[in-house]
Amino acid sequence: MDEQITRLKNWVSHGTMRQFYTEMQAKLANTEYTVELSGDTVTFYRVRKEGGFLGLFARRVREQLLQVSRQNDQIVIAEGANPEFLQYVNGLLKQH
């Protein structure tokens, strides 16, 4: 997993957090994943519907998978990053 984190930090360090957010938002369009930007922090979520009856009254549940932030010119990956999602994101960036 350390290699995956190093690879992601390398990609993120090439631009601003807003640029990374915009690129990932486009790559994750029409998937079960969403991405949010808050200051210098980009957070990735898996969104799924839960509960309800026959699709009615279901609520959307967001599960945090990965959080990347820039602090004093260093890229920080928050603890608890989902290793499968981290590999998926690196695969998307590799196609760039």
Side-chain angles (χ1 to χ4, degrees):
M1 185 159 144
D2 290 337
E3 181 183 328
Q4 297 292 330
I5 289 174
T6 303
R7 211 179 275 171
L8 182 61
K9 285 181 177 182
N10 187 33
W11 272 102
V12 175
S13 68
H14 289 299
T16 66
M17 293 306 282
R18 179 167 291 288
Q19 289 170 325
F20 177 63
Y21 162 76
T22 302
E23 182 173 350
M24 292 310 302
Q25 188 178 34
K27 290 183 180 293
L28 294 173
N30 301 319
T31 67
E32 64 181 316
Y33 304 110
T34 61
V35 59
E36 286 184 355
L37 174 66
S38 177
D40 279 343
T41 302
V42 176
T43 308
F44 296 86
Y45 298 95
R46 175 183 294 131
V47 180
R48 58 186 164 79
K49 290 185 179 180
E50 191 174 88
F53 179 71
L54 298 175
L56 300 174
F57 308 110
R59 60 187 173 103
R60 291 172 34 121
V61 176
R62 294 185 334 163
E63 172 189 1
Q64 183 175 321
L65 300 173
L66 176 65
Q67 190 172 52
V68 182
S69 59
R70 185 183 303 267
Q71 298 173 355
N72 301 327
D73 292 333
Q74 288 188 357
I75 305 301
V76 177
I77 308 291
E79 290 288 323
N82 183 303
E84 291 84 21
F85 185 72
L86 191 57
Q87 186 173 7
Y88 175 70
V89 167
N90 280 324
L92 290 174
L93 293 170
K94 195 175 201 178
Q95 296 171 8
H96 183 0

